[in-house]
Amino acid sequence: MLNRARLFLVICLLLGWAFLWATSGLITEGIWFHHLGYGDVFVKIMSTRVTVHLIIFVVTFALYFFNLKLALKRTNDSHLEEAFLPPMLQLYREVIINRIPAKGLNILLILIGLGIAAYTTYQLDAGWAIWLQFLYQTPFGIADPVFGLDTGFFVFSLPVLEVLRNIFLSLLLWLLPITATIYVVFNPSQLVGWHSAQLKFSQKHLLVQAGLLLLLIAFDFVLKALRLTLTPNSLFLGAGFTDVYVRLPGYLVSGVLIAILALACFRGFKKWRFKGLVTGVVFTLIVIGLVTVAIPSLVQRLMVEPNQFAKEKIFLEHHITMTQKAYGLTEVEIRQFPAENKISDLTAYQPTIDNIRLWDWRPLQQSYNQLQALSYYYHFNGIDVDRYQIDGQLRQVMLGAREIDFDRFEPHVQTWTNSRLRYTHGYGLVMSPVDEATANGLPHFFIKDIPPAGTHGLTVERPEIYFGELTDSYVITNTKLKEFDYPKGEDNAETVYQGTGGIKLDSYFKKLLFAARFRDYRLLVSGELHNDSEILIHRQIVDRVQRIAPFLRLDDDPYLVLEEGRLYWILDAYTLSGNFPYAGRTPGWGNYIRNSVKVIVDAYNGDVSFYLTDPTDPIALTWQKAFPSLFLDLADMPPGLQAHLRYPVDLFRIQAQIYAKYHMDNPLVFYNDEDAWKIPEERYLAETVSMEPYYTILQLDNVSEPEFVLMLPFIPAKQIANMVGWMAALNDPPNYGKLIVYKFFKDRHVYGPMQIESRIDQDSEISQQLTLWDQRGSSVIRGNLLVIPLDGAILYVEPIFIQSEQSSIPELSRVILVFEDQVVMARTLEEALEQVFGQLPDRTTPAEKAPALSEEIGQNYGQLARQAKSVFEQAVAAQREGDWAAYGDYLKQLENLLNQLSPIASPGEEDTEGSSQSEP
């Protein structure tokens, strides 16, 4: 008895552990959602998933069990006339069928029903999201051109109808042969005599199922008719002439004929005519083939193709209009850019010149990792571009987060204690202006080092990064072992997490849950943990946000923001659909896209906030109705973070690609591709790559106030590569999200990016110098070619980086400037501008200009000293590169500056020949 009790206890423990093992992920996920304040979101998602699965399971089980039970019951009825069965069938029933107990058959049917229901639920689960969208759908207010239905029907309702079609079509396609098999196995005589006028019950049963299947096929033809507006043809996406006037009626006729066949099956209960049904089936198949395949093909070839534009014109208009609406391009403002190739006053555009981005993010990332990682386990995973107010001016900067990459540790260091308890977070950031470099060609830092040291009033009070791009594992804080904070001399600074991002492990049951979830027994046995220890999970920010809102598409590039001394991540989230009628599709994105949600993640606490930025987006409003506590209004976002919102690159790239073709409103021009554009190419390293959108600060339309914009030029899609225009997305409030397209006059030639690249290659001095550097143990990196609109003219700027074979630190060595017919290469942008325009804009900030006359001498001294230091560093760089001509020029400049410094340093002394006396 005791052994049985022990066995029972062991079995219970094993079953309990198996249950905990299977459900720990779900339970801990619920705890995590609740900890973040999104418990209702978790409940809504899980209840929807359970409800959908349960309904599919119950419907499938009921459909199969009761149909098979009914079939089995009829085969066992006592009135079956076994005397009329052939001898072999009588022997089959006596030897096999009659010996199967009824209880065993019931169990078998239950098992069959449960198995099919489970399989169907698993295979036909279309997800929970479409059901919530269907229940909470918001009208678009845009009617489709063919049926007059609101676009919301195609986005929210049509997917649900197609899922229901798929589910029931699959169920009935399997139910019919399985039911027939039951009759064949248990009473084959029930399927004999289809030619007789009076049908048996089994035959009526199968006819009902066949009728239901035919009704479902008829419904499928209706859905096909609706989907014509979403189906591509040879010319565009959407219903064309043949679709609307031939194929659409053909689908409806086919649906009606099949529905008539279904009614004939039901009518067979009273009056059955086998030959009539067969004749109807053959006739229906012939008609379907004619109206859906043969006739549409003939009409397309004989009527449409000989006069395609005339037939398709109105549908082309639908396609153009709906595509523009789907991609948010109906409000694009078109302006004319004069391209006069002259700049009246360069100094008036100093804010733009001061923010020309010379640093390409790829070489800069290498520089950050070499110069500012500071320890081998730190890594800058990416470089972000943003703007900050520096000394009262809007400055464009580049910055990166210093995170711990645990894969960089030696294998013997990658212990559980180190990875989970000790090395828990990254530390700080690095920030540098986009347009400045030292004399050695290295970045000039606004924020650097550990602890972060900032200039120009930039301070970092909470530099720890517990939630980032590389934090892809869980950690435990507030343990008996202090956390590594940052390297400090021969020792290390240590810390204890004070944030709110952790879940307390204040009970053994919680430890058991997380141990089961992560399959990690050390959570149970480690002596470093106590009741105040906290576990931080889902620390990778993209994964963290995606788990809360899996119905949103997240941008691939989160970016870091420094605000009031704290670090935040901003992520762009998109609402997508592939069911917008007549709109052209973008591979991987569907044919409707909006950046309606901005997500803020606190890098220290892990708090996640969702802000609705586009209240006109019906999909975003639908999700807001489904999850009312999830989304906040944009007005609730702190103003400091609002100032750092950026128009996302992914969205802008897609819109630019679409606009390059769909700016042609005239259907004839669109049909002939007369004015199609494309995104140009540029050179990077030795490759030709597609030009990427880039952020810059511009003064648009002679406006003195600088704007942070995202821009991209256009060139013609065919033949010539001159530039025809450029698109800009404004980023600063109150104009955030506004799209502007600047077009050049068609009678003026404006160089395209690849034409500029060719001009650079054809310049003998520049190409010779670049080739020489490439052959002297170093490689030349040609950075992004920037197109800078300025005062009705276009500047082209391309930075040149040199990277030696012994060093992985790229140096900003030269700047190439192209304007009109001039191509110059200089050490700095200022020198290049001076060579082209004969003037050097004043780049000193207001903080460097002291108005008091009493400080004028000191100001002059400081300015000359800085210039002397800069010239000296440039001379040293020229000497290192073997450029002796430049070295001599810099020495002459240095001599001139020192001569100017001499009287300022000793204002009371006069150097007179033959006298060493001076007045006190």
Side-chain angles (χ1 to χ4, degrees):
M1 189 69 181
L2 184 60
N3 291 334
R4 289 184 178 179
R6 290 178 178 177
L7 179 61
F8 179 75
L9 179 61
V10 170
I11 292 174
C12 289
L13 288 175
L14 290 175
L15 290 175
W17 177 248
F19 177 78
L20 192 65
W21 189 275
T23 60
S24 59
L26 181 63
I27 297 173
T28 52
E29 200 75 357
I31 295 173
W32 177 72
F33 267 86
H34 181 75
H35 177 78
L36 284 177
Y38 295 126
D40 56 334
V41 175
F42 178 78
V43 171
K44 189 66 163 287
I45 293 175
M46 293 309 302
S47 62
T48 304
R49 292 181 64 180
V50 170
T51 301
V52 171
H53 283 82
L54 188 61
I55 291 175
I56 296 176
F57 185 88
V58 170
V59 170
T60 303
F61 175 78
L63 186 65
Y64 274 81
F65 177 76
F66 288 112
N67 271 277
L68 300 184
K69 178 73 174 176
L70 182 61
L72 189 62
K73 179 181 178 182
R74 298 301 298 184
T75 61
N76 291 328
D77 281 352
S78 59
H79 69 270
L80 291 175
E81 300 178 3
E82 298 186 9
F84 295 96
L85 292 177
M88 290 299 296
L89 291 181
Q90 290 185 21
L91 179 63
Y92 168 76
R93 286 182 57 83
E94 291 176 2
V95 175
I96 299 178
I97 302 302
N98 293 339
R99 294 187 180 184
I100 301 178
K103 185 176 181 181
L105 290 175
N106 287 332
I107 294 175
L108 178 62
L109 293 181
I110 292 174
L111 292 177
I112 292 175
L114 291 175
I116 294 176
Y119 178 79
T120 303
T121 304
Y122 175 76
Q123 289 292 326
L124 297 180
D125 176 24
W128 53 270
I130 64 167
W131 303 97
L132 284 182
Q133 283 187 315
F134 175 74
L135 292 174
Y136 295 98
Q137 61 181 279
T138 302
F140 275 69
I142 302 172
D144 88 279
V146 175
F147 302 100
L149 298 172
D150 186 84
T151 301
F153 170 82
F154 296 90
V155 174
F156 302 123
S157 300
L158 185 59
V160 171
L161 295 177
E162 291 177 330
V163 166
L164 292 174
R165 183 268 319 274
N166 293 338
I167 291 175
F168 285 104
L169 190 61
S170 176
L171 292 179
L172 290 174
L173 282 173
W174 282 101
L175 180 62
L176 187 60
I178 290 177
T179 305
T181 302
I182 292 292
Y183 283 116
V184 169
V185 171
F186 291 95
N187 194 350
S189 64
Q190 283 285 308
L191 298 181
V192 177
W194 283 97
H195 294 277
S196 62
Q198 189 66 31
L199 294 178
K200 300 175 183 179
F201 178 84
S202 59
Q203 295 167 331
K204 294 178 180 179
H205 188 187
L206 294 176
L207 277 177
V208 171
Q209 293 183 1
L212 293 175
L213 181 59
L214 289 172
L215 284 178
L216 199 58
I217 294 174
F219 177 65
D220 179 60
F221 274 102
V222 176
L223 295 182
K224 285 182 177 179
L226 292 169
R227 185 157 277 280
L228 284 174
T229 59
L230 303 169
T231 303
N233 55 49
S234 60
L235 194 59
F236 54 85
L237 186 142
F241 179 89
T242 303
D243 296 321
V244 172
Y245 294 109
V246 182
R247 193 167 279 115
L248 174 58
Y251 283 152
L252 297 180
V253 169
S254 300
V256 171
L257 290 177
I258 294 176
I260 292 174
L261 281 180
L263 295 177
C265 290
F266 298 143
R267 191 170 179 267
F269 278 92
K270 297 181 179 180
K271 191 174 182 180
W272 171 248
R273 292 181 179 177
F274 180 76
K275 293 183 179 180
L277 182 62
V278 172
T279 303
V281 170
V282 173
F283 173 77
T284 300
L285 292 175
I286 293 173
V287 172
I288 291 175
L290 288 173
V291 299
T292 63
V293 179
I295 296 177
S297 298
L298 289 174
V299 170
Q300 182 70 22
R301 291 184 179 183
L302 300 179
M303 293 183 60
V304 177
E305 291 180 2
N307 194 17
Q308 190 177 44
F309 176 72
K311 297 294 184 182
E312 304 284 17
K313 177 182 176 182
I314 185 173
F315 305 105
L316 273 173
E317 292 175 348
H318 297 332
H319 175 62
I320 295 170
T321 301
M322 297 297 279
T323 300
Q324 291 175 346
K325 291 179 179 178
Y327 289 92
L329 298 174
T330 56
E331 302 297 327
V332 175
E333 183 178 340
I334 299 175
R335 300 178 183 176
Q336 206 69 39
F337 195 83
E340 297 173 346
N341 290 332
K342 64 178 182 179
I343 299 177
S344 57
D345 183 10
L346 188 63
T347 58
Y349 290 86
Q350 185 173 328
T352 297
I353 296 173
D354 287 348
N355 288 282
I356 293 177
R357 181 169 62 84
L358 301 180
W359 282 99
D360 187 298
W361 69 268
R362 289 158 290 198
L364 185 63
Q365 184 179 13
Q366 296 181 54
S367 297
Y368 274 20
N369 279 309
Q370 291 295 319
L371 300 174
Q372 281 294 310
L374 303 182
S375 290
Y376 70 95
Y377 43 78
Y378 284 127
H379 183 67
F380 293 91
N381 187 59
I383 302 297
D384 302 318
V385 181
D386 203 351
R387 72 286 197 195
Y388 285 77
Q389 287 289 335
I390 305 293
D391 295 334
Q393 292 184 335
L394 187 66
R395 294 294 301 274
Q396 188 178 190
V397 300
M398 305 180 83
L399 64 158
R402 185 187 291 109
E403 299 190 66
I404 284 184
D405 184 356
F406 204 75
D407 292 336
R408 293 174 175 268
F409 284 98
E410 295 296 328
H412 70 276
V413 182
Q414 298 182 18
T415 63
W416 185 84
T417 300
N418 282 337
S419 63
R420 299 292 186 257
L421 310 181
R422 179 70 174 164
Y423 295 93
T424 57
H425 58 277
Y427 201 87
L429 77 159
V430 172
M431 181 187 294
S432 58
V434 299
D435 62 316
E436 296 183 19
T438 66
N440 296 327
L442 302 178
H444 171 71
F445 296 110
F446 283 169
I447 300 177
K448 63 179 181 178
D449 297 341
I450 297 178
T455 60
H456 303 281
L458 297 169
T459 59
V460 186
E461 299 173 2
R462 180 58 75 182
E464 299 90 344
I465 301 175
Y466 282 86
F467 301 86
E469 294 181 283
L470 299 180
T471 49
D472 53 1
S473 62
Y474 77 88
V475 297
I476 303 174
T477 61
N478 296 327
T479 64
K480 297 177 183 178
L481 180 68
K482 285 190 175 182
E483 304 166 50
F484 167 81
D485 200 19
Y486 59 88
K488 185 179 180 182
E490 296 182 357
D491 203 357
N492 292 324
E494 297 180 328
T495 188
V496 176
Y497 182 63
Q498 303 293 326
T500 60
I503 301 171
K504 277 199 173 185
L505 300 175
D506 50 5
S507 68
Y508 187 81
F509 182 66
K510 278 188 179 180
K511 294 179 182 178
L512 189 63
L513 283 172
F514 284 102
R517 177 196 177 112
F518 294 113
R519 313 298 191 250
D520 194 342
Y521 67 92
R522 285 162 292 200
L523 281 164
L524 299 174
V525 300
S526 175
E528 302 292 346
L529 309 186
H530 50 73
N531 287 340
D532 288 329
S533 298
E534 299 178 349
I535 185 169
L536 282 65
I537 65 174
H538 301 325
R539 298 192 304 134
Q540 208 285 333
I541 51 175
V542 175
D543 172 69
R544 188 177 185 85
V545 175
Q546 198 72 80
R547 287 177 179 271
I548 300 172
F551 45 83
L552 297 175
R553 169 79 173 266
L554 298 181
D555 193 273
D556 295 332
D557 184 28
Y559 60 98
L560 191 68
V561 170
L562 172 64
E563 172 59 21
E564 295 185 352
R566 297 182 66 92
L567 300 179
Y568 299 89
W569 296 97
I570 298 183
L571 295 87
D572 289 289
Y574 306 102
T575 54
L576 306 175
S577 176
N579 280 13
F580 201 94
Y582 274 97
R585 287 196 175 96
T586 299
W589 292 87
N591 64 354
Y592 175 89
I593 179 172
R594 291 291 187 275
N595 173 221
S596 301
V597 179
K598 302 285 187 181
V599 187
I600 308 294
V601 181
D602 189 310
Y604 186 73
N605 289 323
D607 297 332
V608 183
S609 302
F610 296 81
Y611 294 93
L612 187 64
T613 57
D614 185 0
T616 64
D617 176 23
I619 297 181
L621 294 177
T622 295
W623 289 122
Q624 187 181 41
K625 287 191 288 185
F627 301 102
S629 65
L630 181 62
F631 297 99
L632 302 172
D633 292 334
L634 182 60
D636 297 327
M637 182 185 293
L641 292 177
Q642 285 191 47
H644 290 282
L645 295 182
R646 304 185 321 188
Y647 200 84
V649 171
D650 284 349
L651 173 61
F652 185 76
R653 184 190 298 109
I654 292 171
Q655 288 179 314
Q657 291 170 345
I658 295 297
Y659 191 83
K661 181 177 181 180
Y662 290 89
H663 70 278
M664 298 180 286
D665 295 324
N666 187 313
L668 181 59
V669 176
F670 183 91
Y671 177 76
N672 292 319
D673 266 348
E674 294 178 13
D675 194 26
W677 303 340
K678 69 177 181 179
I679 296 173
E681 296 176 328
E682 63 172 339
R683 296 270 175 82
Y684 182 76
L685 294 176
E687 299 180 357
T688 299
V689 297
S690 179
M691 201 168 188
E692 290 290 322
Y694 55 92
Y695 294 99
T696 187
I697 290 179
L698 296 178
Q699 294 159 273
L700 300 174
D701 296 330
N702 300 321
V703 177
S704 59
E705 192 68 25
E707 288 263 5
F708 187 61
V709 304
L710 180 63
M711 66 170 292
L712 190 64
F714 292 118
I715 63 173
K718 300 177 182 179
Q719 298 177 352
I720 57 176
N722 63 287
M723 195 158 58
V724 295
W726 52 281
M727 174 183 276
L730 305 188
N731 288 258
D732 296 327
N735 296 320
Y736 175 85
K738 183 177 182 179
L739 297 177
I740 304 174
V741 170
Y742 289 86
K743 291 184 177 182
F744 300 126
F745 291 105
K746 292 186 177 182
D747 59 349
R748 297 181 184 178
H749 178 270
V750 180
Y751 287 106
M754 282 305 294
Q755 291 177 330
I756 294 296
E757 298 280 19
S758 298
R759 289 186 61 190
I760 294 173
D761 292 337
Q762 293 166 6
D763 187 282
S764 58
E765 294 184 5
I766 294 177
S767 61
Q768 182 180 5
Q769 186 66 60
L770 296 181
T771 303
L772 180 64
W773 284 330
D774 252 339
Q775 296 174 350
R776 294 175 55 184
S778 59
S779 59
V780 174
I781 302 174
R782 295 170 67 161
N784 288 127
L785 176 66
L786 303 181
V787 179
I788 307 297
L790 206 66
D791 191 22
I794 298 292
L795 289 180
Y796 304 88
V797 180
E798 182 172 274
I800 301 297
F801 300 88
I802 297 180
Q803 183 174 1
S804 67
E805 293 179 355
Q806 293 77 24
S807 172
S808 57
I809 305 177
E811 298 178 0
L812 179 59
S813 177
R814 296 291 188 275
V815 177
I816 297 176
L817 179 67
V818 181
F819 179 70
E820 294 185 5
D821 296 329
Q822 302 182 71
V823 181
V824 301
M825 183 171 70
R827 290 187 173 275
T828 65
L829 178 62
E830 291 84 355
E831 292 183 19
L833 290 170
E834 190 171 18
Q835 291 183 36
V836 173
F837 298 101
Q839 56 180 315
L840 187 63
D842 184 10
R843 291 170 58 83
T844 57
T845 64
E848 296 172 333
K849 300 176 182 179
L853 292 177
S854 60
E855 299 179 0
E856 182 176 355
I857 294 178
Q859 290 288 331
N860 290 338
Y861 179 84
Q863 184 175 3
L864 289 172
R866 286 192 296 272
Q867 293 180 14
K869 182 176 182 296
S870 176
V871 171
F872 174 75
E873 291 175 344
Q874 292 173 0
V876 171
Q879 183 186 35
R880 187 177 64 254
E881 296 175 3
D883 192 348
W884 300 110
Y887 178 72
D889 293 339
Y890 287 127
L891 286 182
K892 292 180 181 178
Q893 295 180 35
L894 183 61
E895 181 183 7
N896 182 39
L897 289 170
L898 291 175
N899 289 334
Q900 296 180 53
L901 278 170
S902 180
I904 298 178
S906 303
E909 297 182 3
E910 294 182 4
D911 293 334
T912 57
E913 185 177 356
S915 176
S916 61
Q917 300 296 321
S918 61
E919 292 292 331

